[in-house]
Amino acid sequence: MRIWHHLEPALPRFHNGEPLRAGIGALIGISLCVGLAYISAIYGQASFYLVAPLGATAVLLFCVPNSPLAQPWSAVVGNISAALVALVAVWYIPGPLAVGVAVGAAITAMMFLRALHPPGGAVALLTALNPEAAFAAGPWFALVPLGLATVVLVLSATVYNRLTGRKYPFRLPKEEPDHAPPRLGLSTEQLGELLDRYNQTTNLGVADLGRLLAAAEAEAAQHRFDGTTCADIMTTDLVTVRPETSLADAAGLLRKHRIKSLPVVAADGETLRGVILQADLIDLIAAQARPLARRPRVLRRRVAEVMHSANRAVPHDLPVGVLLNRLANEGSDVIPVVKDTALVGIITRTDIMRLLLQGADERAAA
């Protein structure tokens, strides 16, 4: 039974209509290549035809579009370089030995070029086993039909995957976006180093690892604090201002109520527009060359000119554990809480400290 267990499928069941989505995509991509080959034949251009390894390329591009092995550089450069290396091998090495050399050298070349693409091994094998057709086309065999057909597949995969909800090609941002999900505090560069350390760079992309870590972190956060949500700890007795409110009036409200932030709402009194902080006013005044002389002019400006955007607002039903993870990575003095787009409360550092101190006495006694 233990031996049979190791022979069971390693892949999990595919969700929803993923098998059908991938199958239809491959059908479209290969059909486009067939159509181009048919048109080429009509116009007497027999150089464009299909080779079997393109079917394996279609599997990667449409079934696992996020894989590093399926990205455009890997697919196009991998197939082309494998064909060129195989042509050189069968030209200079006679006999059956050329077959093994062609495949081994193609794999080595693809890895050196950072273009590892499994169908490239099949390209090299096909070329070594049937070199006559490749020799008839010469070095152009690597570009037409092989390179051109691979480009057609990549272009069709780009359009089809994006239309069906998959990102392809999967390009990594040069810098971390502000809205990047928490991933145990690891940057994209650190995630890449982690994959490299465990020699997993060809099995899993950095973006996939980041999403998995973010999902795992969010799942764990949902189980913290016994299901407490932002609505359970937020402050609901709010003092708000409008975007057209003057900074002088906003400063008066901050001083009167002894608070450090003011949510900015639209004319309906509910829709959140932003947040203005006490620190914003202090920084604005301090930035003037003559603060005492220019303070009245500064305070005549409107709240809308200096307020922070509302893009850091959180939904009322967000688990507090997820919020704390986000604050650990981004940091913030105040977090607006919304239901749809309506402001329903704010979470301050005091609210968070109160939450963290809940049950402290019991924990200390234990």
Side-chain angles (χ1 to χ4, degrees), residues 89 113 120 158 178 210 215 251 285 313 347:
L113 294 171
T158 300
D178 294 337
I285 294 173
I347 296 177

Side-chain angles (χ1 to χ4, degrees), residues 110-282:
M110 287 189 292
M111 295 184 73
F112 269 118
L113 294 171
R114 299 168 61 189
L116 188 60
H117 188 60
V123 167
L125 181 60
L126 177 68
T127 304
L129 291 176
N130 185 25
E132 290 78 13
F135 284 148
W140 288 105
F141 166 75
L143 299 178
V144 181
L146 191 58
L148 180 57
T150 305
V151 169
V152 171
L153 281 177
V154 166
L155 292 177
S156 61
T158 300
V159 175
Y160 181 79
N161 283 319
R162 289 175 179 247
L163 290 177
T164 55
R166 302 294 298 273
K167 291 184 178 180
Y168 182 84
F170 210 101
R171 295 183 297 273
L172 296 177
K174 293 183 179 180
E175 299 179 355
E176 290 292 318
D178 294 337
H179 57 276
R183 301 176 305 192
L184 305 179
L186 299 176
S187 66
T188 296
E189 182 179 2
Q190 290 170 323
L191 290 177
E193 292 174 353
L194 189 64
L195 286 173
D196 185 62
R197 185 190 312 165
Y198 288 94
N199 199 26
Q200 294 295 313
T201 52
T202 58
N203 297 325
L204 187 66
V206 173
D208 284 330
L209 178 59
R211 288 201 307 276
L212 286 174
L213 288 177
E217 191 172 8
E219 187 70 21
Q222 290 181 11
H223 295 286
R224 296 171 61 187
F225 303 105
D226 299 323
T228 303
T229 65
C230 291
D232 297 325
I233 68 167
M234 68 184 182
T235 298
T236 56
D237 186 15
L238 304 178
V239 179
T240 62
V241 293
R242 305 284 177 81
E244 63 272 14
T245 302
S246 69
L247 293 183
D249 291 340
L253 290 173
L254 291 170
R255 182 171 59 252
K256 176 182 177 181
H257 296 279
R258 297 183 178 276
I259 54 180
K260 296 183 179 180
S261 61
L262 289 168
V264 183
V265 295
D268 59 11
E270 294 183 353
T271 304
L272 180 67
R273 287 287 182 255
V275 177
I276 184 169
L277 306 177
Q278 182 186 71
D280 296 329
L281 297 178
I282 296 175

Side-chain angles (χ1 to χ4, degrees), residues 53 69 73-90 93 97-129 141-142 146:
L69 305 176
W73 175 267
S74 297
V76 177
V77 177
N79 279 346
I80 291 176
S81 62
L84 289 174
V85 168
L87 281 172
V88 173
V90 297
I93 300 176
L97 182 61
V99 177
V101 172
V103 175
I107 292 174
T108 302
M110 287 189 292
M111 295 184 73
F112 269 118
L113 294 171
R114 299 168 61 189
L116 188 60
H117 188 60
V123 167
L125 181 60
L126 177 68
T127 304
L129 291 176
F141 166 75
L146 191 58

Side-chain angles (χ1 to χ4, degrees), residues 324-362:
L324 293 183
N325 286 340
R326 186 178 303 178
L327 289 177
N329 287 280
E330 300 177 0
S332 183
D333 292 322
V334 60
I335 302 293
V337 183
V338 295
K339 186 175 183 179
D340 296 328
T341 59
L343 177 70
V344 294
I346 61 171
I347 296 177
T348 65
R349 292 182 178 179
T350 302
D351 298 319
I352 294 172
M353 290 297 297
R354 188 182 299 115
L355 171 70
L356 295 176
L357 290 174
Q358 283 180 357
D361 295 337
E362 291 80 357

